[in-house]
Amino acid sequence: MFLDKLKKELNQNQSLFIGEETAYRSAILIPLVLVNEEWHILFEVRSFTMRKQPGDISFPGGRIDATDASPMAAAVRETTEELGVDPKTITIVGQLSSYIASSSFVIYPFVATIDTNQIMHSYNKEEVEEVFTVPLQWLLKYEPYMHLVSVEPVPSLDFPFDKIVNGTQYQWRTRTMEEWFFDYDKYTIWGLTARILKHFIEKIK
């Protein structure tokens, strides 16, 4: 009886990873827009007055609220708030693989087409400094470059070293993180935005 119940539970839909329910969950949209009958990807430059990551280049999106019906609904809501577009002009094309930045931070990326007629004049100036587009054909030919960043664990001052073997001499495992860069015109796209963009471009290829 126990094994039957366990099997049924394990075969049901489960979370993407252990800790997903308590992680910081964010949803973003990769906006495809037509410019002179050519597909472009639209990016935002975050307002310089923003508390977090001012001036960085990003996709529209943000934290998933409890009132959002789904990550996709959150991506659409955030996009309409930031770009000032009618949600009816957003057509979801599909969803990319989720990006698990850490056990406490996950991003759900979606791809959508957006009518650009109003974006350039309607975006939220409090959150968005400016918007710009990059031709998809340019991105398909461009080779991004990469630099490595070492990430080293730093235990808190009250960490219970007396509970673990080797105590304060424990050999913490340092990991290396890839940071990708796309240089277009005066803009440099990097960080999580570049990582998700690179994955998207590889899917198209």
Side-chain angles (χ1 to χ4, degrees):
M1 182 67 74
F2 164 72
L3 291 180
D4 289 338
K5 287 183 177 180
L6 179 60
K7 184 177 181 179
K8 182 179 179 181
E9 182 66 27
L10 293 177
N11 286 332
Q12 290 179 350
N13 290 332
Q14 301 191 57
S15 58
L16 181 66
F17 61 95
I18 295 174
E20 182 182 14
E21 297 84 355
T22 56
Y24 182 98
R25 301 166 68 235
S26 179
I28 60 116
L29 203 69
I30 300 176
L32 296 174
V33 297
L34 275 174
V35 179
N36 297 324
E37 299 185 355
E38 181 184 357
W39 286 110
H40 286 222
I41 295 180
L42 182 138
F43 297 88
E44 299 177 350
V45 177
R46 290 171 60 85
S47 171
F48 291 109
T49 61
M50 295 286 283
R51 184 168 56 87
K52 294 182 179 179
Q53 300 171 304
D56 275 4
I57 293 170
S58 67
F59 293 118
R63 184 169 190 166
I64 300 173
D65 292 341
T67 53
D68 291 317
S70 64
M72 185 175 72
V76 171
R77 174 184 57 76
E78 286 282 346
T79 300
T80 58
E81 291 174 0
E82 293 173 17
L83 297 182
V85 297
D86 187 332
K88 294 178 182 177
T89 67
I90 300 175
T91 302
I92 299 294
V93 176
Q95 180 176 4
L96 293 176
S97 299
S98 300
Y99 177 63
I100 304 172
S102 71
S103 59
S104 58
F105 182 34
V106 59
I107 300 173
Y108 305 86
F110 296 86
V111 181
T113 60
I114 300 182
D115 185 345
T116 57
N117 289 334
Q118 53 179 315
I119 292 177
M120 297 301 178
H121 306 289
S122 63
Y123 61 86
N124 184 343
K125 306 297 191 299
E126 293 184 0
E127 295 187 42
V128 182
E129 192 71 24
E130 63 173 304
V131 297
F132 67 96
T133 67
V134 180
L136 198 53
Q137 284 302 315
W138 183 90
L139 286 164
L140 287 169
K141 296 175 183 177
Y142 183 79
E143 290 294 335
Y145 56 96
M146 185 265 291
H147 289 278
L148 296 175
V149 177
S150 294
V151 181
E152 184 175 349
V154 179
S156 61
L157 293 176
D158 62 348
F159 188 84
F161 282 105
D162 58 308
K163 302 287 186 180
I164 65 176
V165 177
N166 294 329
T168 57
Q169 303 305 310
Y170 182 82
Q171 296 295 309
W172 296 94
R173 185 176 298 175
T174 300
R175 66 184 180 92
T176 302
M177 183 170 61
E178 294 181 352
E179 285 289 356
W180 290 91
F181 294 79
F182 292 76
D183 291 331
Y184 177 77
D185 197 13
K186 64 177 182 179
Y187 305 102
T188 295
I189 303 164
W190 73 289
L192 295 179
T193 302
R195 185 178 291 270
I196 294 171
L197 174 63
K198 182 175 181 292
H199 174 70
F200 176 53
I201 297 301
E202 287 174 350
K203 291 286 286 185
I204 296 176
K205 290 180 177 179

